[in-house]
Amino acid sequence: MRTSYFRYFPDKREVLFAGSERMPPALAEAVLAADPALTPLAAALDALARVGTQLVEQVADIAERQAVIDASPELQERERTKAAAITAAIRDGLKQRQVTADTAELVAQLATVAFQNAFRHWIATAGQADFRRCLHMVTDDLRAALAGT
Amino acid sequence: MRTSYFRYFPDKREVLFAGSERMPPALAEAVLAADPALTPLAAALDALARVGTQLVEQVADIAERQAVIDASPELQERERTKAAAITAAIRDGLKQRQVTADTAELVAQLATVAFQNAFRHWIATAGQADFRRCLHMVTDDLRAALAGT
């Protein structure tokens, strides 16, 4: 199985992150395009649901990809760099919606946590779940976690 | 000002992250030692308040340190690696409190976001604020962000 992943890519890192550079600008645009009535986090989650749904439709062997990354400190570092770019894009989109800098940063980080965990949930369902539904579930879990603190 | 930072450290990176390797094990221990009645997030925040309060008392020139890191992609990468170690330590401490793996991961990521933003708030007050109070403020902000999603 694993060899199929790398057959056409001399640099193994590249296939794992192919297309990932398109995600931040798409997200910034989607945050800006979200319904103006939405709260900052709702706008960020709507953008992640739109862009994330496209992403999960395009990426093949996604569970295997995650297993390869999880086993490599070097690839995990790259995954963190990617997550930071996602956070920055959401933050910049929110600022263009006139959200204050502090709130934009906090909400962008929170949305990125929701995205990463929704992605894990989606992988755990072998890609059968609706990605937006996974995001909503994680958002409910985050709200539950904050109760009683 | 800036030169004072590096006078005694041939490797500039080292002074900026001096002592940071002690934080993850201290956090894991503090999570485990937190009141058993606390929710997972409350236990994580209590641990971050304890360890973070010690941290901010020990680190000198913390605003300058942050400015140096913010200006360097390489140091930001190291900062992300440090944050990932903090998340992992909290997650491992929570698992030892019999929290399920999924919840431990989500709560550890959420607590790390709270910690990072509390730290920024603390720096913005020029170190005058109580660190635990900064954490509580950010927790309130997170709860507010999740309302209406």
Side-chain angles (χ1 to χ4, degrees):
Chain A
M1 259 302 262
R2 189 146 298 178
T3 53
S4 66
Y5 225 108
F6 300 122
R7 195 171 300 152
Y8 304 109
F9 292 83
D11 180 344
K12 292 185 180 185
R13 290 171 61 129
E14 291 317 310
V15 59
L16 291 168
F17 294 94
S20 68
E21 74 287 353
R22 289 197 302 269
M23 196 170 172
L27 273 175
E29 207 176 301
V31 168
L32 202 54
D35 185 340
L38 293 178
T39 66
L41 184 61
L45 293 173
D46 182 60
L48 284 166
R50 281 172 202 272
V51 176
T53 300
Q54 288 178 359
L55 178 82
V56 298
E57 279 166 3
Q58 284 165 16
V59 183
D61 301 329
I62 209 157
E64 191 190 358
R65 172 189 175 279
Q66 198 62 52
V68 171
I69 293 172
D70 287 348
S72 158
E74 187 194 356
L75 295 176
Q76 283 165 38
E77 183 182 297
R78 183 144 170 184
E79 191 82 329
R80 284 195 293 270
T81 304
K82 204 183 75 178
I86 287 172
T87 302
I90 295 173
R91 183 192 63 214
D92 294 347
L94 289 173
K95 281 189 187 170
Q96 290 196 60
R97 290 172 71 99
Q98 315 305 328
V99 175
T100 62
D102 277 2
T103 299
E105 177 64 32
L106 188 68
V107 167
Q109 288 186 28
L110 184 57
T112 304
V113 167
F115 174 71
Q116 291 173 313
N117 286 273
F119 200 61
R120 295 255 173 202
H121 277 285
W122 185 84
I123 289 172
T125 68
Q128 295 304 299
D130 176 68
F131 187 69
R132 187 181 286 267
R133 180 87 199 97
C134 293
L135 264 176
H136 281 297
M137 279 175 52
V138 171
T139 308
D140 286 344
D141 290 344
L142 286 166
R143 201 177 285 111
L146 279 156
T149 57
Chain B
M1 262 297 263
R2 190 145 298 179
T3 53
S4 66
Y5 225 109
F6 300 121
R7 194 171 300 153
Y8 305 107
F9 291 83
D11 180 344
K12 293 185 180 184
R13 290 172 62 129
E14 291 316 311
V15 60
L16 292 168
F17 294 93
S20 69
E21 76 287 352
R22 289 198 302 269
M23 196 170 171
L27 273 175
E29 206 176 303
V31 168
L32 203 53
D35 185 339
L38 293 178
T39 66
L41 184 61
L45 292 172
D46 182 61
L48 284 165
R50 281 172 202 271
V51 175
T53 299
Q54 289 178 359
L55 178 82
V56 298
E57 279 166 3
Q58 285 166 14
V59 184
D61 301 328
I62 208 156
E64 192 190 357
R65 173 189 175 279
Q66 197 62 52
V68 172
I69 292 172
D70 287 348
S72 159
E74 186 193 357
L75 295 177
Q76 283 164 38
E77 182 180 299
R78 183 145 169 183
E79 193 83 328
R80 285 195 292 271
T81 304
K82 204 183 76 178
I86 288 172
T87 302
I90 295 172
R91 183 193 62 213
D92 293 347
L94 288 173
K95 280 189 188 170
Q96 290 196 59
R97 290 171 70 98
Q98 316 305 328
V99 175
T100 62
D102 277 1
T103 299
E105 178 64 32
L106 188 68
V107 167
Q109 288 186 26
L110 184 58
T112 304
V113 168
F115 174 72
Q116 290 173 314
N117 286 273
F119 200 61
R120 296 256 172 201
H121 277 285
W122 185 85
I123 290 172
T125 69
Q128 295 305 298
D130 177 67
F131 187 69
R132 187 181 285 267
R133 180 88 199 96
C134 292
L135 263 177
H136 280 298
M137 279 174 51
V138 171
T139 307
D140 287 343
D141 290 345
L142 286 166
R143 202 177 284 111
L146 279 157
T149 56

